[in-house]
Amino acid sequence: MIRKAVIPAAGLGTRFLPATKAQPKEMLPIIDTPTIQYVVQEAVNSGIEDILIITGKGKRAIEDHFDRNFELEERLLQKEDEMYNEIMKLSDMANLYFIRQKEMAGLGDAIMYARQHTGDEPFAVLLGDTIIDSVMPVTQQLMDMYNQYQSSIIAVETVPADKVNRYGIVGGKRISDSILQLDQFVEKPTIEAAPSDLAIAGRYILTPGIFRALDETPKGKNNELQLTDALTNLLKREKVFSHTFEGKRYDIGNKLDFLKTNVEFALKHTEFATPFLSFLKEIVATYKD
Ligand code: UTP
């Protein structure tokens, strides 16, 4: 059974500079809610109450966001502001733990910091800069699958064949429409070398065996410890499966996707959908191809 989640949120966010020079990209808001709050909510909605967030230099705002703020609470209470309840809920969403990654030495290195916390239990990993919008939370989809397979499970999404060179791509034997038993991970392959069009999507269930696999993995691309390299090592001892999830993924770590995410979420927002759509139609009409 999966009881714990790990949210890596220590990365430098160089693709989003200058915004991320002094603030975490995971705190960039979609409408009015920081990205990492959506991610924590997904874990909570999946039934997880114990969440370890990997933070680092310049990431204090993440801890503050999920902490009490007595001065603000007092003010909202006095004004009978409806935000009061929303703000109070934030510090009570889950049992949150924080640990700082000392050096931004890659996603694999970040996961290593969870070793003490997760011990010999399997755990969920949710990237702190990736929102997945779905009817059933993707983490829960993976947890259900874990209950059946008792192995590491990687969430994947189908990407256009000409874009496989931007992603970590998996390859393996088809078990069902949505499941592969994996035999390879290739980071940013050429179209010819790609074993499939299924890209790793920022949600995982990992068995404790991942730590031994990380121990055995040398630093890879960009001199960082890559999780995909460790997963390749894990395959030598354990089965690993992929699950093509139902839902839509938003990577807010790059500027264009961040903009698109804000537009899509605004168009679904109870308060803004109608005025925002009118605004978009107006503004689009003023542009010619
Ligand atoms: P990215 O692959 O987006 O890397 O991380 P990055 O360094 O944050 O961003 P760029 O490429 O410089 O723009 C995916 C997730 O893994 C975390 C990030 O915070 C993000 O949520 N991460 C990455 C870590 O926690 N530690 C790391 O050393 C690297």
Side-chain angles (χ1 to χ4, degrees):
M1 197 175 121
I2 310 292
R3 298 188 312 122
K4 295 181 176 175
V6 175
I7 303 182
L12 286 174
T14 54
R15 287 170 298 155
F16 220 123
L17 283 167
T20 47
K21 185 179 174 218
Q23 66 173 334
K25 65 173 165 179
E26 294 81 6
M27 286 299 292
L28 293 171
I30 303 303
I31 317 287
D32 56 2
T33 303
T35 297
I36 194 156
Q37 189 180 322
Y38 291 95
V39 178
V40 168
Q41 192 68 56
E42 180 190 322
V44 171
N45 290 348
S46 304
I48 286 175
E49 285 169 11
D50 179 307
I51 301 173
L52 176 69
I53 301 184
I54 318 288
T55 68
K57 194 170 181 303
K59 303 276 183 171
R60 281 297 293 274
I62 297 177
E63 280 168 70
D64 289 344
H65 185 70
F66 294 104
D67 197 0
R68 299 286 298 271
N69 180 337
F70 295 105
E71 201 181 336
L72 177 68
E73 289 166 17
E74 190 59 40
R75 179 70 61 87
L76 294 174
L77 191 62
Q78 269 169 16
K79 291 202 310 182
E80 291 179 21
D81 194 311
E82 59 191 31
M83 256 300 145
Y84 176 76
N85 289 329
E86 291 280 312
I87 294 299
M88 289 302 290
K89 270 190 240 159
L90 279 175
S91 55
D92 218 15
M93 286 178 78
N95 295 322
L96 291 180
Y97 303 87
F98 297 90
I99 188 164
R100 283 168 71 98
Q101 187 182 12
K102 291 192 188 70
E103 235 188 300
M104 289 18 165
L107 181 56
D109 181 70
I111 300 289
M112 280 288 231
Y113 282 78
R115 194 176 211 155
Q116 282 277 335
H117 190 86
T118 56
D120 54 10
E121 289 184 40
F123 56 96
V125 173
L126 299 84
L127 295 192
D129 65 352
T130 301
I131 297 173
I132 301 185
D133 192 27
S134 58
V135 179
M136 183 196 272
V138 174
T139 298
Q140 197 185 334
Q141 295 177 31
L142 300 185
M143 286 162 67
D144 288 351
M145 207 179 131
Y146 175 84
N147 289 340
Q148 195 184 340
Y149 289 86
Q150 302 287 314
S151 302
S152 294
I153 321 270
I154 319 292
V156 295
E157 65 173 350
T158 308
V159 294
D162 62 336
K163 298 211 170 84
V164 287
N165 57 354
R166 297 187 193 171
Y167 299 94
I169 301 291
V170 300
K173 189 173 74 188
R174 190 159 288 285
I175 305 283
S176 75
D177 278 354
S178 62
I179 300 173
L180 296 189
Q181 182 178 338
L182 301 180
D183 55 27
Q184 56 177 318
F185 295 91
V186 199
E187 208 40 73
K188 303 190 172 68
T190 58
I191 299 177
E192 299 73 38
S196 75
D197 57 0
L198 297 173
I200 299 175
R203 298 291 186 268
Y204 313 73
I205 301 291
L206 298 176
T207 60
I210 194 66
F211 296 113
R212 183 172 158 199
L214 281 161
D215 280 338
E216 293 167 355
T217 306
K219 284 190 173 172
K221 205 166 146 268
N222 301 331
N223 205 26
E224 291 180 344
L225 185 51
Q226 301 291 345
L227 182 61
T228 38
D229 293 345
L231 287 167
T232 303
N233 278 334
L234 186 65
L235 282 176
K236 292 176 195 159
R237 278 186 299 272
E238 296 183 19
K239 290 180 184 166
V240 180
F241 296 89
S242 71
H243 168 59
T244 309
F245 61 86
E246 284 159 34
K248 186 161 179 194
R249 171 192 190 207
Y250 301 89
D251 170 12
I252 65 88
N254 77 77
K255 294 171 191 178
L256 184 59
D257 280 1
F258 173 77
L259 287 171
K260 288 181 182 172
T261 309
N262 263 298
V263 171
E264 272 200 57
F265 277 52
L267 289 171
K268 283 188 270 193
H269 195 278
T270 44
E271 193 183 336
F272 304 125
T274 310
F276 192 66
L277 181 60
S278 315
F279 164 77
L280 281 184
K281 282 181 178 163
E282 249 171 62
I283 205 151
V284 167
T286 66
Y287 284 83
K288 296 204 171 64
D289 286 338

